[in-house]
Amino acid sequence: MTAELVRGQNHPLSQVRLEVRVSAGKPIVAGATLSDEQGRVRGVEWVAHPGAPTLPGLEVSRQAAADHRLAFDLDALSEAVHRVSVLLALPSGVGGPVRFGAVAAPFVAVTGLDGSEVASYTITGLDAESAVVALELYRRQGVWKVRAVGQGYAGGLAELLTDQGLPEAQQLASSINEAVAQGLARSVAPPPARTPDADRSRQTATSATGGDQPYAAPPQGTPGNVSPQSPYDASGAQGATAPQTDYPAAPTQADPSAATQASAAGAGGPVDYSHPGRQNAAPPPPPPTAPPTPPGQPALPVAGDATGWSMEERLYNQVWGMFEDLARTTAAYRSAVDFADSRMEQELDKVLSDPRSRIGGQGDAAREAAQAKQAQLVDQARAALDRDLAQLRAESDVVEPALPAAFARWDNPVWHGYRVPMEVPMAVRLGDLRLPESGSLGIPMLVRLPLERGLWIDSGRAGLSDSLADSDELRRLAVDTAVSHAGRLLAIHPAGEFTVHVIDPAGSAASSLAPLVRSGVLDSAPAVGAAGVADVLARLTQRVDLVGMAVRGGVADSLPPDLDTAEQLLIVNDFPHGFDDRAVTQLRYLADEGPAVGVHLMMVADREDAEAYGPLLDPLWRSLLRLTPVPDDHLADPWVGHAWTYDPGLVPSGSQVLDQVLTQVAEARRSWNR
């Protein structure tokens, strides 16, 4: 369960050994101060910063970096400490940004040692501030809590430390800034240069193994009644009650949607895409499946050319490597173009600053020379980009046909030989990611399983960068996208381990939902009307309540042993039609608490339709991963700051592959239920 905090909100902490992870996009300084019961910092020895990174019970980064991991052991803190404030500041005197308004909003997350998020906070609304108190961990009646603060200071670290009552604030701030400027706290080193024929294998770092927590479910509820006016024929779905779940909640890695949330593993280290629940031993290297490459020629691409314990894991890591390579080469190209433009402007300014050279042949010659130099630099950068893109396309041509069903597009031949799997895969493909410079090259958008966040298929036009579809067409495409994702999730889970519920209050999506209904993969027909909405939400809310209490109380084993092990997916169409205030509250509860106990949400909605609720629903929208039914560049990459275009990757028009796959899934479910 992850709590997404807003400014001033607090959340209890169930663990005392924690990490605070910071992602800012640009190098920043991270530190922490200890405060007594009056909120006062007693001296410089109560401040952890890059020059003095370790205090009893906490350790901060020794450098300025775009990403940080701060370690805390709250039980090791002195009894006099009642509050720990996490500080972020822009380094001064190093030529970088001088105010937070010029950089992306910093993201701060409190996690367990296994990487599972406890609470997160995106610090928005900053402008001229150059230092900010991001979070505070405080002790209240013997219980530790976290509060989102987001208090900025235009006067930098000196003003911040002064506000916390530190007498030596100015001197300490100066020493921190001087250390950063002198390179004592260096920014995260850029990735090492790689030659075209470099080895594509990537070492996947490992972390502490987190134990699985068995979750069980409450007794089954009764299926909701379908009104006589329902557009869905109940005979098209099985009449059995939806199986309830008991599943292992393993800690998962952040999604690449966000496009994925890559973070630096340490000072100058590689990007860490490791799964926190996997073994500590290093995985075996990829097998030598290709002959040695002759000197001077680029390496031949090979599917599975990455580290991992299985071919699935090697392919997953290889796709991540392709994502990283595309991000890096595009960032290098954009940086080179910016440099060429800046250099040309400087040379033109120099020419125009002299009145004697503004008019006449001398000025024209200088301008032509500057423009020619700029064009030459851009052409060189484009040639390097084209070379890297060609290698990535060649690798994609090899990797795509080798992907398993969970990672493959719907037009991949692997679906024609589909068989219901025996185990849950490590990730699922939700579409493709592209950049403007990459052309037709797309990187599979793989999201780890089980899902940590719900999905929001945006059926509105607001925010779309470019769309020719009208509103009705967008709504139809949005439901088609939801059905495509739901069908894939059903197909990649073993029989009986994934159940889908559908709420369609007005019955407006009957045609798009037909593949799910007629195949028989739904245990009951889509719920329509206010009564159907209330029934489905009540049953799923009861399930989340019971399983959550059992797990928190440590009595999961005492739940009835005959409970099913299926995870639950709730598809909600046309929200908020058919929802009263109680139903809206239940939906928010499922979005927040459901993923931790195996209940996932997939919303098909236009945010403008819910404007009447005002900011009440803002936490709901933020908690969901927004996807679009048409290509749109709304997914942000915190690693290098790219805006990635998301392509939903729908079932090809006229293809029967989804119907064929769902028919096999339904048959396997019927056999399993016997």
Side-chain angles (χ1 to χ4, degrees), residues 35-37 42 46 77-83 139:
S35 306
D36 56 21
E37 199 167 5
R42 295 185 177 179
W46 278 33
L77 296 175
S78 167
E79 288 295 328
V81 175
H82 287 262
R83 181 185 305 167
R139 181 161 34 198

Side-chain angles (χ1 to χ4, degrees), residues 94 111 173 285 466 472 630 651 670:
V94 295
T111 73
D466 184 21
D472 293 339
V630 294
V651 179
R670 284 191 289 269

Side-chain angles (χ1 to χ4, degrees), residues 346-358:
Q346 291 177 2
E347 292 180 354
L348 291 177
D349 288 342
K350 184 177 180 181
V351 171
L352 296 176
S353 64
D354 186 354
R356 294 171 297 179
S357 61
R358 293 178 188 172

Side-chain angles (χ1 to χ4, degrees), residues 58 66 218 263 276 305 412 438 526 528 582 585 608 671:
L58 70 93
S263 62
D305 186 19
N412 192 308
S438 64
V528 298
R582 176 179 174 82
T585 302
E608 291 184 352
S671 300

Side-chain angles (χ1 to χ4, degrees), residues 233-248:
D233 183 0
S235 64
Q238 301 177 39
T241 303
Q244 308 295 334
T245 75
D246 157 323
Y247 83 103

